[in-house]
Amino acid sequence: GDQVEQSPSALSLHEGTGSALRCNFTTTMRAVQWFRKNSRGSLINLFYLASGTKENGRLKSAFDSKERYSTLHIRDAQLEDSGTYFCAALNQGGSAKLIFGEGTKLTVSS
Amino acid sequence: DAGVTQTPRHEVAEKGQTIILKCEPVSGHNDLFWYRQTKIQGLELLSYFRSKSLMEDGGAFKDRFKAEMLNSSFSTLKIQPTEPKDSAVYLCASSPDWGDTQYFGPGTRLLVL
């Protein structure tokens, strides 16, 4: 079936540094959504992209449907960025079900 | 601006009980989803409503799980009878329209003893 492969599974950053998370898709997806799971377990929407790139503060995301991937870049990481990040994709079919990656656990330390 | 609300936030049930989880979507959203989240299976779709009509029922969850949406601002998920393997976080999400951003509620953490 349709799958979303997310990497890395865990990431450690020092404050002020940056890195990128990536999701590869086994099939063409129509859109991608990025979430952060906060300390209370709630999923916080970060981005929704049907194409191209979006930026919000220190976060930037890109989605290439043809090349079957999406990225989430974090720059100038802060302690409060720690958490688990998920990408989720909508396939090209009629279903509105999000297919989730397994998540990236980000730890930012001082 | 209220997001998706879910009640209760925590529920403990004995095996065989009936429990009802509740969700209020974002006002004006047409689509509503129920997901179950476990460490092993990740996020699984239980039900999907569009304009109060059931569009997807999650297949494998039909027998003991029933989601209803009696009006556009309220949905319930009934689990009857509960089993220990139902222990999970149950998430409700809503979306303005098909394929749009899904906004998630805080979830209900269910423990079945």
Side-chain angles (χ1 to χ4, degrees), chain B residues 19-21 34 46-47 49 54 57 61-70 75-80:
Chain B
I19 61 108
I20 297 177
L21 310 182
W34 282 99
L46 300 175
S47 295
F49 292 89
L54 183 64
D57 63 5
F61 298 96
K62 280 183 184 177
D63 57 347
R64 297 181 297 106
F65 291 74
K66 183 175 182 181
E68 290 186 310
M69 195 164 187
L70 299 179
S75 176
T76 59
L77 175 66
K78 180 192 285 187
I79 308 175
Q80 179 184 37

Side-chain angles (χ1 to χ4, degrees), chain A residues 10-31:
Chain A
L11 179 64
S12 294
L13 294 176
H14 288 294
E15 274 186 297
T17 63
S19 188
L21 315 181
R22 185 179 176 101
C23 282
N24 292 322
F25 313 120
T26 58
T27 187
T28 302
M29 300 294 185
R30 186 161 49 82

Side-chain angles (χ1 to χ4, degrees), chain A residues 30-31 33 35 37 40-43 45 47-48 86 90-98 100, chain B residues 9 31 33 35 37 43-45 48 50 56 91 98-107 109:
Chain A
R30 186 161 49 82
Q33 198 165 343
F35 301 91
K37 192 174 182 181
R40 296 172 63 184
S42 296
L43 284 173
N45 288 292
F47 294 104
Y48 173 88
F86 293 92
L90 281 168
N91 64 18
Q92 290 281 10
S95 173
K97 181 180 82 170
L98 287 171
F100 278 78
Chain B
R9 294 295 309 277
D31 290 3
F33 304 81
Y35 293 90
Q37 182 178 42
L43 264 157
E44 302 168 286
L45 180 70
Y48 162 44
R50 182 183 303 164
E56 290 185 35
L91 292 166
W98 180 70
D100 282 343
T101 302
Q102 292 186 26
Y103 296 85
F104 281 76
R109 186 175 293 277

Side-chain angles (χ1 to χ4, degrees), chain A residues 6-93:
Chain A
Q6 186 171 346
S7 62
S9 57
L11 179 64
S12 294
L13 294 176
H14 288 294
E15 274 186 297
T17 63
S19 188
L21 315 181
R22 185 179 176 101
C23 282
N24 292 322
F25 313 120
T26 58
T27 187
T28 302
M29 300 294 185
R30 186 161 49 82
V32 68
Q33 198 165 343
W34 284 91
F35 301 91
R36 182 173 66 86
K37 192 174 182 181
N38 66 13
S39 58
R40 296 172 63 184
S42 296
L43 284 173
I44 309 299
N45 288 292
L46 298 176
F47 294 104
Y48 173 88
L49 298 98
S51 66
T53 62
K54 285 188 179 179
E55 193 164 357
N56 185 3
R58 296 176 291 99
L59 299 178
K60 181 178 180 179
S61 182
F63 172 51
D64 190 325
S65 176
K66 184 178 177 184
E67 299 298 324
R68 302 184 182 180
Y69 77 90
S70 178
T71 56
L72 176 69
H73 292 259
I74 302 172
R75 64 177 174 82
D76 188 25
Q78 302 297 306
L79 296 176
E80 60 264 29
D81 296 332
S82 294
T84 302
Y85 291 75
F86 293 92
C87 68
L90 281 168
N91 64 18
Q92 290 281 10

